[in-house]
Amino acid sequence: MKSLAELAAIRDKMKDKVALRLGANSTRIVVGMGTCGIAAGAKEVLNAFVEEINAAGLSENVMVTQTGCLELCQCEPVVEIYEEGKEKVTYVKMTPEKAKTVVEKHLKGGNIVTEFTVAADK
């Protein structure tokens, strides 16, 4: 890094991704990033949520964050969605492709993707 302007350019480039993880938004997506989750692909799932939320223009209303083990190791990667005034939804055995579907149908469309939930996995 050679100048303050270069640092500002880097900050601006990364602003959207950081804002998704740090914002105080009405919807919160929590990706389980314990050892078991990471081994099952949780990092790729988290990245897919960040990218899809950015692409869909939802970054003002949706925050993506991570946590440790969610105690559902056999169902990893696990994603929990918290929406203001609604019950938590737990998605299991997530993939980046499933994350795209959840953004489209659940976050944009308002319909829980029941076939990806913990209840459907039992």
Side-chain angles (χ1 to χ4, degrees), residues 38 99 117:
I38 292 169
T117 64

Side-chain angles (χ1 to χ4, degrees), residues 1-53:
M1 197 167 349
K2 298 178 184 178
S3 70
L4 189 55
E6 191 176 343
L7 178 61
I10 293 169
R11 179 199 64 210
D12 291 341
K13 181 179 175 186
M14 299 306 292
K15 192 175 184 180
D16 288 337
K17 290 184 181 182
V18 173
L20 282 173
R21 295 181 189 208
L22 299 178
N25 308 44
S26 61
T27 299
R28 185 169 50 112
I29 298 172
V30 179
V31 180
M33 296 284 285
T35 305
C36 50
I38 292 169
K43 184 176 180 185
E44 292 79 10
V45 169
L46 182 135
N47 290 337
F49 270 109
V50 170
E51 291 169 10
E52 290 301 313
I53 288 166

Side-chain angles (χ1 to χ4, degrees), residues 91 111-121:
Y91 288 109
N111 299 308
I112 295 170
V113 188
T114 55
E115 61 266 27
F116 299 164
T117 64
V118 70
D121 192 57

Side-chain angles (χ1 to χ4, degrees), residues 45-115:
V45 169
L46 182 135
N47 290 337
F49 270 109
V50 170
E51 291 169 10
E52 290 301 313
I53 288 166
N54 258 344
L58 299 174
S59 60
E60 292 294 318
N61 301 319
V62 180
M63 173 183 59
V64 179
T65 188
Q66 62 187 37
T67 191
C69 183
L70 291 168
E71 308 276 332
L72 292 170
C73 301
Q74 69 279 11
C75 298
E76 292 289 357
V78 176
V79 173
E80 295 179 333
I81 297 184
Y82 298 87
E83 295 178 279
E84 201 170 305
K86 297 181 181 179
E87 286 191 39
K88 167 186 76 172
V89 176
T90 302
Y91 288 109
V92 296
K93 298 182 181 174
M94 291 297 291
T95 65
E97 293 75 26
K98 287 181 178 180
K100 292 176 185 178
T101 301
V102 168
V103 170
E104 189 63 34
K105 292 184 178 180
H106 184 151
L107 299 177
K108 288 177 70 179
N111 299 308
I112 295 170
V113 188
T114 55
E115 61 266 27

